[in-house]
Amino acid sequence: MISYTYSSLSRLCIASGRRTLITAAAKEIQDTNNSSLRLPESFPPEHDESCLNRIFTIPSDITALLKDNLPIEFRKQESIFRELGILVRKPAVELISYLEQTDFTKPINKYILYGKYGTGKTATLIHLMHYGLAKHFILLHLPWVCTWFRFAREIVESPLVPGKLDIPPEAASWLKYFKQLNQVVLSQLDLKLSNDYNWSQKESIKSGDTLINLIEFGIQRHKFACGVIDALVCELKAASTAGKCKTLVIMDGFNAFTSNVTLIRDDTRTFVPPERISITSSFFNSVKYDWCNAAAILTVDTRANKDRRESHYPKYLLGKKGFEHLDPFLPIPVENYSKEEFKTILNYYKDRKWLREVSPQGQEELELLSNKNPHDLWQFCKPL
């Protein structure tokens, strides 16, 4: 049996008390750091300037909807961090403010995010998609447009539009994604078709049928998937204009539609321009100025064009045809991190154990090497 004197017990109690106080103090410091780093409010419609430079976590159910259509680096981040954290930045807060003040009875407003490669345009779109889902918009989301024109698995003559080419597998996959992304809103609204659609002598869909059945038809009948996308855009425009729903059009790398050439070849093995692909006219139709109860948020990027890569400004990347089609629109720049944003991201990486034991000098070196570019900073932090 171990015996203690009064003095030894006193010393043990004092030491134990100190350890408790130190542990409590350390926990308090950690909680304070987390509260200054993280945003407890994950409801984007309430994000304003007071939320800037803080991280909010996209709920897992929404992440699951987006995951397969996120860029590979975002999927890696979500897998490593076990969450998808988004930094609240000025472009997103500015756009949310505009959308909250929009008069949706007027023709659609169009916004174009632009900036150098890696500045965070796609991250801003993800933030706005979360906003759209929270506000019960129907999301017409087209992730990284140029992949449709670079990696098409099958190219066939369109059975519906003479002279056009279809990419059926990609179109059917996108319809499946659209249905999954909007399944909650579509089930609540129960939208009906306003037109008849004849796909062949034996196959047709009549007005009054549900929009979900139209989408299902395109998923099951790949041959007509591109035609179903065109019908879907027309029906969404009609339903939005009639006040039955609200639509948020979000496209990443829209200037791929306005490039001079794609990597898709026709029967003569000649590279064809985007306008030869049937879906181009469908998505061009979605950003026309002839409907309401909707908004369009697009990005332009130098990597989306096979040509025109010398400047990152919208007028140059869109070209004459694209610029005139979208005009008028509001350009919104997305720039490299500010000093405060850079510090927040480094603290977030430390919180997620992505960075460990980086000295102040090391942080300065990361700042200089990356020039506070979000993509470059992520790459430089990988081996640390």
Side-chain angles (χ1 to χ4, degrees):
M1 180 180 292
I2 301 174
S3 61
Y4 295 100
T5 64
Y6 176 79
S7 60
S8 64
L9 282 171
S10 298
R11 286 195 297 271
L12 281 171
C13 290
I14 292 170
S16 177
R18 284 175 179 169
R19 282 196 295 272
T20 303
L21 287 171
I22 290 170
T23 303
K27 187 177 185 304
E28 185 177 350
I29 291 170
Q30 184 179 3
D31 291 343
T32 302
N33 288 338
N34 282 337
S35 64
S36 62
L37 171 67
R38 290 183 177 272
L39 190 67
E41 181 53 70
S42 290
F43 188 60
E46 295 184 2
H47 290 172
D48 54 25
E49 291 188 354
S50 66
C51 305
L52 290 173
N53 307 328
R54 296 170 75 185
I55 301 289
F56 83 97
T57 304
I58 293 184
S60 57
D61 56 338
I62 293 180
T63 303
L65 293 177
L66 303 177
K67 188 171 182 180
D68 292 338
N69 287 277
L70 293 175
I72 188 169
E73 294 298 334
F74 282 91
R75 280 178 270 164
K76 287 180 181 178
Q77 179 179 318
E78 193 272 339
S79 176
I80 294 167
F81 294 171
R82 301 300 181 198
E83 66 178 30
L84 186 58
I86 298 292
L87 178 65
V88 180
R89 305 186 67 191
K90 184 178 178 181
V93 169
E94 184 179 347
L95 272 167
I96 288 172
S97 172
Y98 294 153
L99 291 171
E100 286 291 300
Q101 300 174 63
T102 296
D103 180 359
F104 284 99
T105 62
K106 302 292 176 62
I108 69 167
N109 291 329
K110 290 171 271 189
Y111 308 94
I112 293 186
L113 298 170
Y114 71 96
K116 294 181 179 179
Y117 171 61
T119 52
K121 298 183 289 295
T122 301
T124 302
L125 288 187
I126 294 171
H127 194 162
L128 270 296
M129 288 177 67
H130 187 191
Y131 168 87
L133 290 171
K135 294 286 284 187
H136 303 291
F137 282 82
I138 291 179
L139 293 188
L140 189 69
H141 175 226
L142 193 57
W144 203 231
V145 173
C146 62
T147 57
W148 293 58
F149 300 148
R150 290 181 180 175
F151 309 111
R153 288 168 285 173
E154 181 184 352
I155 303 161
V156 299
E157 291 286 338
S158 172
L160 303 172
V161 187
K164 299 280 188 177
L165 298 176
D166 281 355
I167 44 178
E170 285 72 23
S173 295
W174 183 83
L175 286 170
K176 187 176 181 180
Y177 167 61
F178 176 86
K179 179 189 173 186
Q180 176 184 328
L181 184 63
N182 297 285
Q183 58 186 348
V184 174
V185 179
L186 289 175
S187 63
Q188 292 173 347
L189 295 176
D190 192 30
L191 298 176
K192 305 292 185 180
L193 301 182
S194 59
N195 295 299
D196 296 337
Y197 296 96
N198 297 312
W199 309 109
S200 65
Q201 290 183 347
K202 296 182 179 180
E203 295 173 297
S204 64
I205 296 180
K206 302 299 182 182
S207 63
D209 204 343
T210 64
L211 189 67
I212 292 178
N213 284 347
L214 173 68
I215 297 167
E216 282 289 353
F217 176 79
I219 294 171
Q220 295 168 9
R221 295 287 281 122
H222 286 199
K223 179 179 180 181
F224 302 111
C226 290
V228 168
I229 289 178
D230 190 65
L232 174 63
V233 170
C234 292
E235 291 294 336
L236 284 178
K237 290 177 68 173
S240 295
T241 303
K244 298 177 182 178
C245 63
K246 287 184 179 179
T247 305
L248 191 59
V249 179
I250 296 181
M251 299 189 207
D252 201 358
F254 180 83
N255 53 306
F257 284 131
T258 68
S259 182
N260 292 325
V261 69
T262 68
L263 293 181
I264 292 178
R265 299 174 187 261
D266 59 13
D267 292 338
T268 65
R269 305 300 297 166
T270 302
F271 291 113
V272 301
E275 51 265 27
R276 279 286 308 280
I277 314 301
S278 59
I279 59 158
T280 298
S281 58
S282 303
F283 288 113
F284 253 59
N285 185 27
S286 71
V287 291
K288 280 185 176 178
Y289 205 59
D290 59 353
W291 59 309
C292 63
N293 261 327
I297 305 171
L298 319 172
T299 72
V300 291
D301 194 287
T302 53
R303 296 176 306 138
N305 270 10
K306 188 173 175 60
D307 48 351
R308 296 196 302 270
R309 295 189 172 187
E310 288 73 23
S311 171
H312 63 272
Y313 290 103
K315 187 173 183 179
Y316 174 78
L317 288 175
L318 289 170
K320 185 175 184 294
K321 178 183 176 182
F323 183 85
E324 290 177 351
H325 184 77
L326 291 177
D327 190 48
F329 61 83
L330 180 64
I332 298 177
V334 182
E335 300 174 339
N336 288 338
Y337 288 142
S338 65
K339 283 274 189 183
E340 293 75 16
E341 290 172 336
F342 181 80
K343 290 177 182 177
T344 298
I345 286 296
L346 285 188
N347 288 332
Y348 179 63
Y349 287 170
K350 291 175 184 176
D351 177 69
R352 296 286 89 196
K353 303 298 186 289
W354 183 242
L355 280 181
R356 296 187 182 185
E357 299 178 1
V358 178
S359 66
Q361 292 79 9
Q363 294 184 26
E364 289 179 8
E365 188 171 346
L366 283 172
E367 182 178 344
L368 289 170
L369 286 171
S370 66
N371 194 29
K372 301 193 290 293
N373 179 278
H375 177 268
D376 291 347
L377 178 62
W378 167 261
Q379 296 295 331
F380 281 122
C381 288
K382 278 184 178 180
L384 299 180

